[in-house]
Amino acid sequence: MAEPLRRKLSQELNVLNGMALLLCVGYVLLVFFAYLFGSLFLRGAAVMVGVSVFAWLVVSRRITVELALPLLLLASSVIGIALLNSSESEYRSLFLILVVISSAAIAWLAFEERLTFEVFELPFFVLLLFTFYLVVLGGYGAFEFNSLLAGSSRNVYSSILIACAFSYYLSRVYRGQPIPVWPFFLLLLLSFPVYSRSGILIAGALLFMVLVRKGASALVLFFIISLVLIGASGEYLTDVFLNYTNFDKGLETERYNIWSGYFYSLNLNSFFAGVPLDSVSIVDAYGGNPHNAFIRLHALWGVGVLLFLGILAYSFFRMVEDGRYDFAFMLLLVVARAFFDIVFFFNLADFFVFPLVFYFAFRGFFKSQYSRGQIA
């Protein structure tokens, strides 16, 4: 009796894992194609898949209260303001609620079913190799990357690439696998032709973190090799850095004026209810893009954004408490990237970084036997 029952349970688990893989991979493909073609239909389809996964996880009790409760609290706390702002925001304020729920559900399912290699690592390698192909064989540079994604700039492409790198790192830690240096070094090199200043800086910070994790010898060796290359190249690298990247403009950006314009428009009422972005002249002049995810969230959700900031802070302190200083550093990098654009918080690529954002819920996965490499 025991053997047939064990075989039946094994078959059911295989079917469940296969269904989870299909849903996760389907979601990832929908996300990438939605960015590539700028399709609202594909964006909506991806979100519907994610929301369906969330409902399935809740009904089957396969999602913990630690994740489900903050998601539902966040949704319920902003729904009123989102409804008030729905017509002005063309329903984006409501759509973002579904985006955060769907992204969290896909990330959770990937960890729950041990599909992080397929969902987090493979997309990073595919996008990294695709970028390498575009740069080396396609001759892509700033202009080409700026028009590669329909309706999105090179900053969005850079951010997605960075998000994949975060998730790759998390998956390797979860699976108890060593983290090689070369993917992050290649990421840094490819960030230059993509032409995003923040992308270059964050890629460099990620590489430095991986080298620190490898130990002092790897860090010293990397710096020695870098100094030799810089010395051998003479002024060539300096010329590339200043003339073929966005750093030729220095660190000044129009974003500061955009943010100032938004904050100057605030009053007591708009602080709680948010400010329509098209009512701020300088933001409207840039197509309604405040180039800051937190400002966008405040515009759509008003004071409800404070709950999300609390979630970020709580995750950060739990990381520090657990001694996950590398995770805490990466979360700061995610927040920094969100501070200069609206790709993160909340958008379709968020599932790559949600294990960091909701670390207090995902932390159990990183303490499992699987994450310590005891399960193949």
Side-chain angles (χ1 to χ4, degrees):
M1 290 293 292
E3 184 60 31
L5 180 61
R6 188 179 299 111
R7 191 180 302 114
K8 182 180 179 181
L9 288 173
S10 177
Q11 291 173 347
E12 290 178 350
L13 288 174
N14 288 336
V15 170
L16 185 64
N17 187 262
M19 183 185 301
L21 177 62
L22 180 63
L23 289 168
C24 287
V25 172
Y27 181 88
V28 172
L29 291 175
L30 284 171
V31 167
F32 279 126
F33 285 124
Y35 276 114
L36 184 61
F37 298 115
S39 170
L40 293 177
F41 173 78
L42 292 177
R43 290 173 65 88
V47 168
M48 288 302 102
V49 170
V51 171
S52 299
V53 167
F54 179 75
W56 172 40
L57 292 173
V58 171
V59 170
S60 60
R61 298 181 180 180
R62 302 182 70 242
I63 192 171
T64 63
V65 175
E66 287 85 353
L67 181 60
L69 185 58
L71 288 174
L72 294 175
L73 282 175
L74 183 63
S76 60
S77 68
V78 302
I79 188 67
I81 297 175
L83 284 170
L84 288 174
N85 295 337
S86 60
S87 59
E88 295 174 345
S89 69
E90 298 179 339
Y91 297 96
R92 285 191 296 271
S93 54
L94 294 172
F95 187 70
L96 289 191
I97 298 175
L98 300 180
V99 169
V100 63
I101 290 173
S102 65
S103 293
I106 293 296
W108 183 269
L109 186 61
F111 276 88
E112 177 74 14
E113 289 297 321
R114 296 176 181 172
L115 298 172
T116 60
F117 175 77
E118 295 84 352
V119 179
F120 292 146
E121 296 184 40
L122 278 181
F124 177 53
F125 282 121
V126 170
L127 193 56
L128 201 62
L129 292 176
F130 179 62
T131 308
F132 182 83
Y133 167 80
L134 292 178
V135 171
V136 176
L137 298 180
Y140 269 52
F143 176 80
E144 290 79 11
F145 279 112
N146 214 33
S147 56
L148 178 62
L149 304 180
S152 298
S153 69
R154 61 179 179 267
N155 288 322
V156 174
Y157 187 90
S158 172
S159 295
I160 296 173
L161 193 55
I162 291 292
C164 289
F166 287 131
S167 65
Y168 170 78
Y169 185 98
L170 292 172
S171 177
R172 299 293 290 186
V173 173
Y174 167 61
R175 297 198 306 118
Q177 298 296 313
I179 301 172
V181 173
W182 73 264
F184 296 93
F185 181 67
L186 182 58
L187 173 67
L188 176 60
L189 292 180
L190 293 175
S191 294
F192 283 90
V194 177
Y195 210 70
S196 170
R197 284 175 292 184
S198 56
I200 294 170
L201 292 174
I202 290 177
L206 273 173
L207 175 60
F208 178 77
M209 184 189 72
V210 173
L211 288 169
V212 169
R213 180 186 173 96
K214 288 290 184 181
S217 58
L219 192 62
V220 171
L221 179 62
F222 175 79
F223 277 116
I224 291 175
I225 294 174
S226 299
L227 289 174
V228 170
L229 290 175
I230 292 172
S233 64
E235 296 181 355
Y236 176 74
L237 288 180
T238 303
D239 181 64
V240 169
F241 190 75
L242 292 178
N243 298 317
Y244 294 95
T245 73
N246 221 11
F247 283 99
D248 63 334
K249 300 177 181 177
L251 297 177
E252 293 298 320
T253 173
E254 190 63 26
R255 287 174 173 83
Y256 302 134
N257 294 327
I258 295 173
W259 303 340
S260 297
Y262 183 85
F263 284 115
Y264 284 139
S265 68
L266 289 177
N267 54 41
L268 185 60
N269 179 64
S270 60
F271 172 76
F272 285 97
V275 179
L277 292 173
D278 58 5
S279 69
V280 183
S281 58
I282 189 169
V283 177
D284 187 52
Y286 282 85
N289 184 357
H291 292 281
N292 184 302
F294 301 104
I295 289 179
R296 183 182 69 145
L297 284 179
H298 180 267
L300 298 175
W301 290 353
V303 74
V305 71
L306 295 179
L307 177 59
F308 178 62
L309 295 177
I311 287 173
L312 289 174
Y314 184 53
S315 284
F316 180 81
F317 286 119
R318 291 310 297 266
M319 290 171 180
V320 173
E321 182 181 46
D322 290 347
R324 296 282 186 184
Y325 302 115
D326 50 348
F327 287 13
F329 182 68
M330 286 194 295
L331 181 59
L332 291 178
L333 293 179
V334 172
V335 170
R337 190 67 192 92
F339 201 77
F340 287 92
D341 245 312
I342 61 172
V343 181
F344 300 145
F345 309 156
F346 296 110
N347 224 313
L348 295 180
D350 277 355
F351 73 98
F352 286 123
V353 299
F354 267 17
L356 293 170
V357 173
F358 294 96
Y359 172 77
F360 54 83
F362 283 83
R363 62 198 290 261
F365 291 117
F366 296 102
K367 293 184 175 182
S368 67
Q369 288 183 335
Y370 188 59
S371 68
R372 293 196 295 270
Q374 297 178 12
I375 298 178

